[in-house]
Amino acid sequence: MRWALVLSGGGSRGFAHIGLIEELERRGVPAPSLVAGTSMGAIIGALYASGWDAQRMEQYVLGFKLTSLLENPAFRLPDFALSRLLQAGTALGALSKGRSLDSGKQTDAEFRKLFGSDTLIENLKLPFACVAADLASGRQVIQDSGPLARAVRASSAYPAVFAPVERDGMLLVDGGILNNVPVDLAYARGIRRVLAMDVSPLKVQAPERMANGMSILMRCFDLASSAAEPKPLRGTLVLEHEDSRSVFNFDDPAKAIDVGRKTVALASDRLDAFFRPWPFNRVGRKESRRGSAQ
C-alpha cells in the first residue's frame, strides 16, 4: 500500500496534526510511504518520521513554552500576540537593525535536541520531506536529504519573526509562503493516494478582524499561500481543521490537539473509504509498528 501523509503549516493550530496521527495509530494503518509537511507540519511530520508516537508528541507539546525559546524581550509581554508584540520598542528596533525579531539560535538548539545534531533526513524511519521558500530566487525548496534539524528550522522560519536560514546562496523562510499543503511532493514521487490535513484553510474573514497592519499582513500571507498551493488530485483526502485561534496562540495546546481529534472524528467515514482498498490485520500492524518504533 503506497500512500502519503501531508501536514500543513499553521503555527499553534498545527498541534491538531497530533490528533490525526493518534487516529491513524488507533486504526493500525500501514506506515505511509512518505511524510511531508510545511512549517509546524514539518515539525510534527519530522517527529512522526523519526519514530515518535502521538502520545509522546502530546506530552512534549503540553510542556512546551514558545516564549522560552525566544530572545527578544518583547516576547515576554503578558498578552502574547504578534500585533501587540510589534508595538514594543525592542521589537521595532530588532526589525530595523536586522532581518527578524529573533535570531533563531535557541530554536536551532531545541531542534538539535529533538532530532539530534547529526540526524539526516535520508536515515529516518519513514521517508520525509519538507518545504521552504527561498527569498533570493522566489522558488520553493524541497528538503528531502541532509541535516533534519536544519531543514525543519528553515521550513518553520516565519518571516520577520524568526531569522531566515542561509544555505548555498539561498535565504530560506517558512514554506507556507509558497506551498502550505505540499501534496505535490507526494505526486512527484508517483504517490496518488494522499491524506492531508490543512489547519489553515482560507476562509472568508470579517473586515473588523483586520484591525491593524499586522493582521492585514498575515491575511496577505494566507491569500498568497492559498493561491500558490497545488490543486489536490483525485485520490487525495484533505481534512480541513476548523480553529479560529491565532497561529501564534500557544496558550492551550491541549485544546488545539482536541480540535484535531474532533476534526478527524467527523471524517471517520472518509478515512474508512481512504484505507478500504487494502485490507489488513489492524492489531497485528499496530503491534508491528510499535515494536519497530522501540
Side-chain angles (χ1 to χ4, degrees):
M1 174 182 178
R2 297 191 75 225
W3 69 283
L5 177 65
V6 177
L7 307 176
S8 81
S12 60
R13 299 173 192 160
F15 290 151
H17 296 317
I18 297 173
L20 173 58
I21 292 171
E22 181 181 78
E23 175 62 15
L24 296 178
E25 292 173 343
R26 187 189 71 80
R27 288 170 174 257
V29 303
S33 305
L34 174 71
V35 179
T38 298
S39 198
M40 182 59 80
I43 299 172
I44 300 296
L47 292 173
Y48 183 56
S50 298
W52 286 45
D53 61 17
Q55 182 180 16
R56 186 179 176 189
M57 291 183 209
E58 182 171 9
Q59 289 174 345
Y60 173 75
V61 302
L62 291 182
F64 177 76
K65 297 294 182 185
L66 177 65
T67 53
S68 68
L69 301 180
L70 302 173
E71 305 160 344
N72 194 298
F75 289 109
R76 308 295 185 267
L77 289 170
D79 180 18
F80 177 62
L82 201 58
S83 57
R84 285 198 64 228
L85 188 152
L86 291 179
Q87 296 171 20
T90 52
L92 293 174
L95 287 176
S96 64
K97 297 175 182 177
R99 289 171 168 167
S100 62
L101 294 172
D102 189 86
S103 71
K105 290 180 180 179
Q106 293 190 63
T107 306
D108 281 336
E110 182 70 10
F111 285 156
R112 288 195 297 271
K113 183 175 75 173
L114 284 176
F115 303 118
S117 301
D118 302 321
T119 300
L120 301 177
I121 293 174
E122 52 266 42
N123 293 337
L124 296 179
K125 292 180 180 294
L126 297 174
F128 174 75
C130 62
V131 174
D134 176 23
L135 294 180
S137 67
R139 296 176 181 174
Q140 168 180 280
V141 176
I142 298 172
Q143 304 175 109
D144 55 8
S145 64
L148 175 63
R150 198 64 170 165
V152 173
R153 165 76 172 81
S155 182
S156 57
Y158 197 92
V161 177
F162 297 103
V165 173
E166 295 187 60
R167 194 182 74 200
D168 301 327
M170 298 182 293
L171 199 60
L172 302 179
V173 295
D174 195 310
I177 293 176
L178 297 177
N179 194 354
N180 201 45
V181 190
V183 294
D184 59 322
L185 272 61
Y187 302 154
R189 289 161 176 76
I191 303 173
R192 292 294 181 266
R193 186 160 292 269
V194 180
L195 174 60
M197 176 173 270
D198 183 0
V199 301
S200 295
L202 187 66
K203 302 289 185 181
V204 175
Q205 192 172 102
E208 54 268 23
R209 290 194 60 187
M210 293 171 275
N212 55 51
M214 192 61 216
S215 61
I216 289 174
L217 285 174
M218 293 179 72
R219 180 61 172 173
C220 290
F221 183 104
D222 292 342
L223 291 171
S225 174
S226 178
E229 284 174 14
K231 302 302 179 186
L233 299 179
R234 183 178 180 181
T236 299
L237 171 58
V238 180
L239 306 182
E240 292 193 348
H241 167 275
E242 299 291 344
D243 192 345
S244 59
R245 72 173 55 216
S246 164
V247 297
F248 287 97
N249 179 3
F250 286 83
D251 291 341
D252 193 354
K255 183 177 180 181
I257 295 171
D258 195 50
V259 172
R261 291 190 182 106
K262 292 175 181 176
T263 300
V264 175
L266 291 173
S268 181
D269 290 345
R270 289 189 289 160
L271 282 173
D272 287 341
F274 182 87
F275 289 108
R276 188 173 297 134
W278 298 276
F280 50 85
N281 183 321
R282 294 187 177 185
V283 176
R285 291 280 186 167
K286 183 183 295 186
E287 291 176 348
S288 174
R289 176 168 175 74
R290 285 178 177 171
S292 65
Q294 294 173 355

